[in-house]
Amino acid sequence: MRVLVTGGAGFIGSHVVDALRERGHEAVVYDVRDRPGADVRNPTAVACALAGVDAVCHQAAMVGLGNGVADAAEYVSRNDLGTAVLLAAMAEAGVRRLVLAGSMVVYGEGRYECPAHGVVRPGPRAVTDLEAGRFEPNCPVCGAELSPGLVGEDAPADPRNVYAATKLAQEHLSAAWARSTDGTAISLRYHNVYGPRMPRDTPYAGVASFFRSALERGEAPRVFEDGRQRRDFVHVRDVAAANVTALEAGSRPGTLTAYNTGSGEPHTVGDLARALSAAYGGPEPLITGEYRLGDVRHITADSSRLRTELGWKPEVDFTQGMREFMRTH
């Protein structure tokens, strides 16, 4: 296959390009890092890039939690307008296969169970609770403590910040494109991706990158809240392999199918900081009690659908991945 990879010079996109080429596919990189005119919001440039292409792997996006709503217009422009321009060009060019870089942020909080009321969906955490160090969401019915679990793809979407809203909009746009063109669309809902080439020292870098940078400066990683937030940290090579698997498998024409893409092994943010500190030889993490509005408490993946339906499985375990991450950039 000849595959156009938008954002193909970026963190995840560059690994997707590598994985495609290793599987014998031709990867065409489309990225503003290589060429300033290679913006997915540029209809002429996108149309030219699609010439002779069999499929698109859409990685280009503005990522991260951002700054409240101050940068909402930029997120919408890059993520949603860019996706709309790309999809329109694909429809015109007759390209009918898409894999989208989705995100677990579309769920908001993860899956919770109340001893009395079963599965419940807590609302956004109150500032007064966060200020007081009450980080765990409680049952919205009775106020009881909740047990976090793995969230499946059928969970209702509940984006809690601007970035999350744009990622959900990308899925809706892609689903509309699939219906109108009889195309096949897959959204891989990435969980917390880390690994070589991860952005560093920018407002949109991931938490693993921030922790590593602190350690390299000789500083303790600063862990927000109490460090017990549960996440699913998945290595970028495993994510790249999932993209190739999805491109090769395709899906039912006229629909968008979403797949959680995670390691399936929950770890806390404190676990992450301690693993990186151990790999680097210290210092130990500092639990700060600070918080960010818009962050969710727990979100971990049930990736069994991707394993069962497409035969993908992660290969890099947490400890191995963290050691490698501290050695590479």
Side-chain angles (χ1 to χ4, degrees):
M1 265 191 297
R2 190 166 194 258
V3 182
L4 181 69
V5 183
T6 68
F11 166 42
I12 298 174
S14 65
H15 285 276
V16 172
V17 168
D18 290 346
L20 283 166
R21 290 172 177 167
E22 288 169 6
R23 293 276 297 192
H25 300 293
E26 180 183 357
V28 180
V29 175
Y30 186 85
D31 198 300
V32 291
R33 297 170 183 84
D34 286 348
R35 293 173 291 159
D39 189 317
V40 289
R41 296 170 292 183
N42 184 332
T44 302
V46 170
C48 291
L50 286 169
V53 162
D54 302 303
V56 172
C57 189
H58 185 29
Q59 304 292 318
M62 184 175 179
V63 300
L65 182 60
N67 183 23
V69 295
D71 44 13
E74 187 70 10
Y75 270 103
V76 171
S77 176
R78 290 181 180 272
N79 296 354
D80 299 338
L81 175 60
T83 298
V85 169
L86 173 66
L87 294 171
M90 289 174 63
E92 179 68 21
V95 179
R96 297 292 183 263
R97 183 170 295 201
L98 170 71
V99 172
L100 172 69
S103 176
M104 53 83 179
V105 295
V106 301
Y107 298 116
E109 288 284 355
R111 186 180 189 275
Y112 293 88
E113 285 196 37
C114 170
H117 297 99
V119 176
V120 295
R121 292 189 62 80
R125 295 179 293 171
V127 172
T128 51
D129 286 335
L130 295 170
E131 289 284 357
R134 295 188 294 269
F135 301 121
E136 293 287 346
N138 295 321
C139 176
V141 180
C142 66
E145 293 184 4
L146 300 175
S147 299
L150 302 180
V151 63
E153 292 89 348
D154 296 330
D158 185 18
R160 299 286 177 93
N161 54 61
V162 168
Y163 169 63
T166 65
K167 296 306 289 183
L168 183 59
Q170 283 185 314
E171 289 194 356
H172 289 318
L173 289 165
S174 299
W177 165 84
R179 284 192 296 271
S180 66
T181 65
D182 207 31
T184 66
I186 288 176
S187 177
L188 296 176
R189 290 176 175 170
Y190 302 160
H191 281 246
N192 292 74
V193 186
Y194 73 95
R197 308 174 202 162
M198 191 174 190
R200 58 186 300 157
D201 303 329
T202 78
Y204 306 104
V207 65
S209 181
F210 286 129
F211 289 167
R212 180 177 64 182
S213 292
L215 288 163
E216 290 174 343
R217 294 192 302 267
E219 300 172 3
R222 295 178 61 84
V223 181
F224 280 14
E225 301 187 15
D226 58 4
R228 296 176 183 170
Q229 312 93 297
R230 288 160 55 101
R231 297 291 187 269
D232 186 316
F233 299 101
V234 58
H235 197 277
V236 67
R237 287 198 301 273
D238 287 331
V239 169
N243 275 270
V244 179
T245 297
L247 282 165
E248 292 175 342
S251 63
R252 187 160 55 91
T255 63
L256 178 139
T257 305
Y259 292 100
N260 285 335
T261 307
S263 70
E265 297 180 358
H267 291 275
T268 68
V269 175
D271 290 339
L272 171 70
R274 285 186 290 272
L276 291 174
S277 293
Y280 196 72
E284 286 293 308
L286 174 65
I287 307 299
T288 69
E290 298 171 293
Y291 64 89
R292 295 191 307 177
L293 285 177
D295 272 349
V296 297
R297 179 60 174 174
H298 303 296
I299 177 70
T300 52
D302 178 355
S303 298
S304 58
R305 177 185 289 180
L306 183 56
R307 296 173 185 237
T308 301
E309 294 186 7
L310 301 189
W312 169 89
K313 65 176 182 178
E315 301 290 345
V316 183
D317 71 29
F318 182 76
T319 302
Q320 169 197 349
M322 290 301 150
R323 287 173 180 163
E324 178 192 354
F325 182 61
M326 286 305 306
R327 296 195 305 265
T328 58
H329 293 278

